[in-house]
Amino acid sequence: AAGVIQSPRHLIKEKRETATLKCYPIPRHDTVYWYQQGPGQDPQFLISFYEKMQSDKGSIPDRFSAQQFSDYHSELNMSSLELGDSALYFCASLDRGKNTEAFFGQGTRLTVV
Amino acid sequence: AQSVAQPEDQVKVAEGNPLTVKCTYSVSGNPYLFWYVQYPNRGLQFLLKYITGDNLVKGSYGFEAEFNKSQTSFHLKKPSALVSDSALYFCAVRDLYSGNTPLVFGKGTRLSVIA
């Protein structure tokens, strides 16, 4: 069965650079979440989309933005990167109509140097 | 707002012994509860969930969890632990009927099963 696909798997950027993370949810899933997991920490909710519209916002810095496109894939754009942005970024999708569990991608490990 | 507490940062058990990983939750409406497992440098894998019905839910890899409404708990259990169960376990909750609320995670419990 198709899973949530995230790209790239690993990314190294310098301070003040920008990064774009991509997420391809499971087909026909209507909801996408983005989470940030720092070293040794629990996943922190950043932002979510329902049917391509932003539906909820968590602890997402103003330097970050996200959107969901007509094909349901989502992108997390991160600008003016800081060392503290180094983390594992997860995307998850679910079918809200069927109240499924959230299915997570393998994550993108971002390292800011 | 919802929240999850996992009171133990780490749990150690001997292989073959029963294990319990504790979780308590707070949610304003009806809870939709989950357990996820995370292996090093990997994504979160779904283990089991509780929506309604039987308070004891069974999941993957022999894990089960018991929902206790009065104690607002959802402890993860396994009758006989395996070394391969060693991983980071996250409890999560969202409000079942409150729109598209995000999943809120506990801080995680590291399970170590010793041979």
Side-chain angles (χ1 to χ4, degrees):
Chain A
V4 176
I5 305 297
Q6 289 187 247
S7 68
R9 291 293 309 277
H10 302 274
L11 192 57
I12 300 175
K13 291 285 186 178
E14 295 188 354
K15 283 194 303 184
R16 293 180 289 277
E17 284 193 315
T18 61
T20 297
L21 278 54
K22 296 184 179 182
C23 169
Y24 298 85
I26 292 173
R28 291 178 293 282
H29 277 193
D30 52 22
T31 302
V32 167
Y33 296 126
W34 283 98
Y35 286 86
Q36 177 193 58
Q37 186 180 28
Q41 297 182 4
D42 55 299
Q44 293 293 312
F45 170 68
L46 292 177
I47 194 167
S48 64
F49 294 88
Y50 171 65
E51 286 292 349
K52 295 167 280 185
M53 299 289 290
Q54 182 183 310
S55 62
D56 206 351
K57 211 170 182 180
S59 52
I60 184 169
D62 292 340
R63 299 177 289 108
F64 294 6
S65 65
Q67 54 184 324
Q68 189 174 27
F69 295 85
S70 58
D71 65 351
Y72 286 87
H73 94 271
S74 180
E75 295 184 2
L76 178 65
N77 299 293
M78 309 160 72
S79 62
S80 303
L81 287 169
E82 301 173 356
L83 296 178
D85 296 329
S86 297
L88 200 49
Y89 290 83
F90 289 111
C91 169
S93 74
L94 62 82
D95 185 332
R96 177 184 167 187
K98 294 182 179 178
N99 239 339
T100 67
E101 61 272 22
F103 294 82
F104 283 79
Q106 291 295 302
T108 295
R109 181 167 294 283
L110 172 67
T111 303
V112 182
V113 297
Chain B
Q2 53 257 34
S3 65
V4 173
Q6 291 182 244
E8 302 153 316
D9 291 336
Q10 188 167 356
V11 169
K12 289 184 180 179
V13 298
E15 188 175 30
N17 281 4
L19 69 87
T20 298
V21 183
K22 295 179 181 177
C23 170
T24 57
Y25 66 90
S26 173
V27 66
S28 54
N30 293 306
Y32 188 3
L33 293 154
F34 306 84
W35 277 100
Y36 284 85
V37 60
Q38 187 177 30
Y39 296 96
N41 297 313
R42 301 291 298 276
L44 282 78
Q45 296 178 33
F46 168 75
L47 277 180
L48 49 80
K49 65 183 177 184
Y50 172 83
I51 306 179
T52 60
D54 195 349
N55 289 343
L56 186 65
V57 293
K58 295 187 183 296
S60 308
Y61 313 118
F63 283 93
E64 56 191 28
E66 186 166 12
F67 171 67
N68 187 317
K69 187 174 182 179
S70 62
Q71 297 184 3
T72 61
S73 67
F74 190 57
H75 301 330
L76 182 70
K77 300 181 180 184
K78 187 173 183 180
S80 178
L82 300 172
V83 172
S84 57
D85 293 330
S86 299
L88 193 54
Y89 290 81
F90 290 99
C91 181
V93 68
R94 71 180 179 98
D95 193 318
L96 181 59
Y97 297 118
S98 184
N100 194 28
T101 56
L103 266 179
V104 172
F105 287 88
K107 297 210 172 292
T109 298
R110 185 166 299 282
L111 173 67
S112 298
V113 181
I114 303 160

